[in-house]
Amino acid sequence: MNEIKLTNSEKTLMDILWEKEKAFMKDILETYPEPKPAATTVATLLKRMQNKDLVGFTLYGNSREYFPKVAKGEYFKEEMTSMIDRFFNSSVTQFASFFTSNSKLTQKQLKELRDIIDKEIKG
């Protein structure tokens, strides 16, 4: 996936599409949190996101059923990698050190993280 940043508005729309998997405009508008944007605003966002190859659609007569073209997990992975590259000089170790020392994690949460890492090490 190319590094593509979503604006907050685009992220909200993608969250709706990721949750629904497929949706017509009316379904998207119904799902939006208040204050709901105008249909023209959502249409503009959808068009922009189609140009970024993040959203596709299937045409049924005059109606379009939209769907995400990138999985949420894949997008999140790319965002995390980009953040680690930018803020931690591509060092996962620096990220982990910052995260564990600045997140006010409980001992239980730190143990859970250690267990996850131990599981990955054992393969």
Side-chain angles (χ1 to χ4, degrees):
M1 178 177 135
N2 295 335
E3 185 178 327
I4 296 176
K5 299 285 181 225
L6 293 175
T7 65
N8 288 338
S9 298
E10 291 170 340
K11 172 75 170 58
T12 300
L13 179 52
M14 282 303 290
D15 283 338
I16 291 169
L17 290 174
W18 283 324
E19 179 185 322
K20 292 195 166 293
E21 296 179 5
K22 295 179 183 178
F24 291 96
M25 177 66 83
K26 68 176 182 61
D27 302 319
I28 294 169
L29 290 170
E30 287 173 2
T31 307
Y32 253 94
E34 293 292 340
K36 294 184 186 293
T40 53
T41 301
V42 175
T44 299
L45 285 172
L46 286 165
K47 181 65 176 160
R48 186 175 2 166
M49 293 164 70
Q50 288 170 52
N51 292 339
K52 291 181 179 183
D53 206 29
L54 295 170
V55 172
F57 65 88
T58 305
L59 199 55
Y60 296 98
N62 291 331
S63 298
R64 293 179 179 194
E65 185 178 43
Y66 296 94
F67 57 89
K69 291 179 76 174
V70 62
K72 186 174 187 175
E74 182 64 25
Y75 181 77
F76 181 74
K77 182 178 86 171
E78 292 292 327
E79 279 291 295
M80 287 301 300
T81 300
S82 175
M83 183 193 70
I84 290 169
D85 289 347
R86 282 186 319 223
F87 295 108
F88 300 98
N89 300 318
S90 301
S91 171
V92 174
T93 305
Q94 285 181 20
F95 167 72
S97 176
F98 176 84
F99 177 74
T100 55
S101 63
N102 290 289
S103 297
K104 296 183 176 41
L105 298 172
T106 66
Q107 288 297 313
K108 180 181 181 218
Q109 290 169 322
L110 287 168
K111 183 182 178 326
E112 289 171 352
L113 280 174
R114 185 179 64 203
D115 291 346
I116 291 168
I117 292 168
D118 286 345
K119 183 179 173 185
E120 287 297 315
I121 290 171
K122 293 176 185 173

